[in-house]
Amino acid sequence: MIATCTPEDLRVWRRDGASEALARRLGCGPLLASLLCMRGKDEALAGRELGVPPLEEALEGVQLGSSLPRESFLDRITPGKEVVVYGDYDVDGVTATALAVEMCLSRGANVRYYIPHRHLKGYGLHKDMVDRIMQRGCDLLVVVDCGTHDRASHQAARDAGVPTWIFDHHFAEGQEVPDAPVVLVNPQMGGNEEGRTLSAAGVLWVWAWQTGAMPRPWLKNQLDLVALSTVADCAPLGAVNRMLVARGLDCLRSGHRRGIALLAERLDVRWRHTSEEDLSMKIIPCLNAAGRLDLADVALRVLLEDKDQSAWMERLVALNRRRQLLSSQLVEEINPQVGASGCVLRGKGWPVGVLSSVASRLCSQHRKPVILSAQAGPILRGTVRMPPGGDAVRFLSELSPHLLAWGGHRLAAGFSAAPESWEILEQAMTQELSSLRFSPECLDVLEVDPETVTPEAWREVGVLGPFGTGNPSPLFFCPFPSDSVPRPFGTQGAHVKIPRGRVDIVAFYGTAFFGARPALRGLVYRPRLDHWRGSPRMQFVLERAVV
């Protein structure tokens, strides 16, 4: 699918005297200087923008909450203690689970873990599972990426007298600090802005860093998990998260985590050159496939040291291929049904595990809210995706009388409901969507001929990264070459190359769009650095066609 926009949707910037003067003062190239000017950075701000702050400096001001205990749950662990880590099935939950497991193993504990089945149990710290954990024997329960609102489970832990530490980052509106022996670490409760943007794995890692719960050299070696969780959860890349992702990428490139290195090679990612885009486009979707179509334990076993790690990795890759096929089929089926206000759809036989990724693709494509649901056992499970300016959590809160459970983040949330309530819920959702208004998204783009973007110039732009939510990768614009004839390539000619002088702009899955010979005024594209047979080369990817 090719996204389109009009010239009115763009703010086109061009290289000028101001950017040339800034390049001379900073001693940088014209491309970087032009991007700094486009971002509204004067010389002082530009100087601070270049590069990632030192680890200690970036973490100094992070506040995780106002009433956190000084003790560490790790202080309670002696060799042989029975510890259970309870996590969640997405990549943030799985990486946070891996981090907690490795922390407890380092103290000699006997560690078990539990991650709920996405379809059979759903999200959250379930009381029946807490009861079963306590019955089997547990000296310490560590909960990650869920548990904030599960008060019945808090009470079950208190009744059993088992110390329970919860590390979460989901919205905590109306939540009170639980009584001992339950400890809740959630920056949404008294943390500052940088704290509130952390992923769940980030919350656990920063807590361990600030409290001295684990040696700092050991923690630095676990930043690969934090980078995966931060990118996977689309956490805003402010100063702290940029630093965590940048240092985590360095950690990933070292290849010390064998399972990720094996997975990267299997996905044709050169792990020594792994970028944040490799994480978001290849590695993270593959890790997520386990929880979506099977058990998240498969992904966790790839992250942890495991004697059968290669076999788990192959199973994960097979699940990812199935995910890709199912997602493509659903996108093709649902795409025509996205209307002016978005869409609210319940599917028969839809695989629940891929609904969130499908909704994300359609929301990004149409820039409209997308709500998809399907039967999962005795209940309906659904996902909500909102374009920029929306609030999925607030949207669901208005509908809470019709829901069994709901939660998530501003642009992405999930819910469950009774099947018999769907008709009234669908009507309420559709009515609510019709009243939502979103400000038109205006893209800042720099007019640049792709032929002039060299690997050296793009590497220099990399100091503005890592790129992602809150710090998007720069977008460039060029007029559509009227004499250009797009050429199909790839399996069954599904993709298109648009010649632009000596280089091409690649439009993935663009054959049908360009086969219709649309009248185009320009192309919005994004550069990326690729490596072919050990040599760097530029690739230019179409983001939007300007009609």
Side-chain angles (χ1 to χ4, degrees):
M1 296 189 301
I2 301 298
T4 62
C5 64
T6 67
E8 290 71 32
D9 296 325
L10 304 178
R11 264 193 304 263
V12 181
W13 297 73
R14 295 173 178 83
R15 181 177 171 182
D16 57 16
S19 61
E20 292 173 357
L22 183 62
R24 288 193 297 270
R25 292 196 299 270
L26 294 178
C28 67
L31 185 63
L32 175 57
S34 296
L35 290 172
L36 287 168
C37 287
M38 186 175 78
R39 292 184 172 202
K41 307 297 181 183
D42 59 22
E43 188 170 355
L45 286 172
R48 288 199 295 272
E49 190 88 354
L50 303 183
V52 177
L55 202 62
E56 292 77 7
E57 178 185 322
L59 294 171
E60 186 176 336
V62 180
Q63 296 176 14
L64 298 179
S66 54
S67 58
L68 302 182
R70 295 184 179 181
E71 67 170 321
S72 162
F73 72 84
L74 293 168
D75 294 339
R76 296 177 175 268
I77 298 178
T78 54
K81 285 284 188 180
E82 296 292 331
V83 178
V84 176
V85 178
Y86 187 116
D88 186 39
Y89 39 70
D90 64 6
V91 169
D92 186 19
V94 170
T95 52
T97 301
L99 180 57
V101 166
E102 292 180 344
M103 283 181 175
C104 297
L105 287 174
S106 73
R107 297 297 179 95
N110 296 325
V111 185
R112 311 192 307 273
Y113 59 81
Y114 173 76
I115 299 176
H117 191 287
R118 180 188 287 266
H119 315 315
L120 301 181
K121 294 296 292 184
Y123 173 79
L125 178 62
H126 302 289
K127 180 181 179 299
D128 61 330
M129 293 311 305
V130 173
D131 290 337
R132 288 181 61 182
I133 288 168
M134 300 308 174
Q135 290 166 6
R136 287 189 58 186
C138 174
D139 299 314
L140 172 68
L141 175 62
V142 181
V143 181
V144 293
D145 200 25
C146 62
T148 293
H149 290 284
D150 299 307
R151 298 181 185 182
S153 299
H154 300 174
Q155 187 60 49
R158 280 195 293 272
D159 292 344
V162 173
T164 300
W165 283 65
I166 300 171
F167 294 88
D168 198 7
H169 68 138
H170 292 92
F171 287 116
E173 186 176 347
Q175 176 62 36
E176 298 176 356
V177 177
D179 297 327
V182 178
V183 176
L184 175 57
V185 182
N186 186 334
Q188 305 299 332
M189 302 172 65
N192 64 359
E193 184 176 356
E194 288 286 8
R196 291 193 299 272
T197 65
L198 293 171
S199 66
V203 170
L204 176 57
W205 190 94
V206 171
W207 170 86
W209 177 279
Q210 291 185 339
T211 60
M214 293 296 295
R216 288 187 171 181
W218 186 92
L219 285 170
K220 289 180 180 179
N221 219 33
Q222 312 304 312
L223 276 170
D224 51 355
L225 296 174
V226 180
L228 284 165
S229 74
T230 303
V231 175
D233 230 44
C234 298
L237 295 183
V240 171
N241 277 335
R242 270 184 68 206
M243 177 274 301
L244 293 174
V245 173
R247 301 293 185 265
L249 284 169
D250 289 340
C251 190
L252 281 163
R253 293 170 189 139
S254 73
H256 86 97
R257 194 172 296 275
R258 178 173 174 268
I260 290 296
L262 286 172
L263 181 62
E265 290 180 354
R266 191 70 175 75
L267 298 175
D268 293 327
V269 174
R270 289 160 179 79
W271 54 264
R272 293 188 184 278
H273 303 286
T274 305
S275 67
E276 61 269 35
E277 186 174 2
D278 292 323
L279 299 189
S280 64
M281 300 298 291
K282 294 185 177 181
I283 294 175
I284 287 169
C286 191
L287 290 170
N288 253 334
R292 296 186 187 286
L293 298 175
D294 195 351
L295 289 171
D297 302 43
V298 178
L300 185 57
R301 287 175 180 268
V302 171
L303 294 177
L304 298 172
E305 286 298 324
D306 190 290
K307 62 180 180 181
D308 298 319
Q309 205 166 40
S310 294
W312 289 114
M313 186 268 294
E314 289 297 337
R315 182 172 169 183
L316 186 61
V317 170
L319 287 169
N320 189 48
R321 288 202 195 98
R322 184 176 164 219
R323 176 198 65 81
Q324 290 171 321
L325 176 61
L326 291 171
S327 296
S328 296
Q329 291 172 342
L330 273 187
V331 166
E332 187 175 346
E333 176 185 343
I334 298 169
N335 186 50
Q337 302 180 63
V338 181
S341 298
C343 69
V344 180
L345 297 172
R346 173 185 175 181
K348 292 183 179 179
W350 285 353
V352 175
V354 302
L355 292 187
S356 58
S357 60
V358 169
S360 292
R361 285 175 62 180
L362 292 168
C363 178
S364 176
Q365 167 77 16
H366 293 277
R367 288 171 278 169
K368 305 288 184 184
V370 175
I371 302 170
L372 306 177
S373 68
Q375 193 90 14
I379 64 174
L380 288 176
R381 297 200 185 277
T383 185
V384 179
R385 290 298 183 273
M386 290 282 179
D391 191 332
V393 172
R394 184 173 296 278
F395 175 81
L396 289 177
S397 70
E398 299 292 330
L399 303 163
S400 57
H402 310 297
L403 303 174
L404 298 175
W406 56 273
H409 303 286
R410 184 173 295 276
L411 300 183
F415 65 91
S416 59
E420 58 270 20
S421 68
W422 174 250
E423 187 174 342
I424 189 170
L425 182 59
E426 180 184 25
Q427 183 178 1
M429 285 182 164
T430 302
Q431 184 174 347
E432 187 72 17
L433 284 188
S434 66
S435 66
L436 295 181
R437 296 293 179 266
F438 301 94
S439 300
E441 184 184 12
C442 193
L443 295 178
D444 287 297
V445 294
L446 183 65
E447 185 168 346
V448 173
D449 187 332
E451 285 190 281
T452 66
V453 183
T454 64
E456 295 73 25
W458 188 242
R459 281 198 194 95
E460 189 178 41
V461 171
V463 300
L464 300 177
F467 299 116
T469 304
N471 186 41
S473 180
L475 294 177
F476 299 101
F477 169 82
C478 67
F480 183 74
S482 57
D483 58 345
S484 178
V485 179
R487 307 187 309 271
F489 78 100
T491 306
Q492 298 179 339
H495 315 305
V496 164
K497 289 182 178 180
I498 307 162
R500 176 74 191 188
R502 294 168 298 158
V503 302
D504 297 319
I505 296 176
V506 177
F508 291 109
Y509 301 102
T511 299
F513 178 85
F514 283 95
R517 299 186 179 277
L520 299 182
R521 303 175 67 174
L523 304 172
V524 175
Y525 68 95
R526 177 172 48 85
R528 68 182 183 192
L529 191 62
D530 192 15
H531 288 81
W532 175 252
R533 295 178 179 176
S535 299
R537 64 176 184 179
M538 293 305 303
Q539 185 179 52
F540 304 97
V541 180
L542 181 69
E543 287 289 315
R544 296 195 183 170
V546 185
V547 295

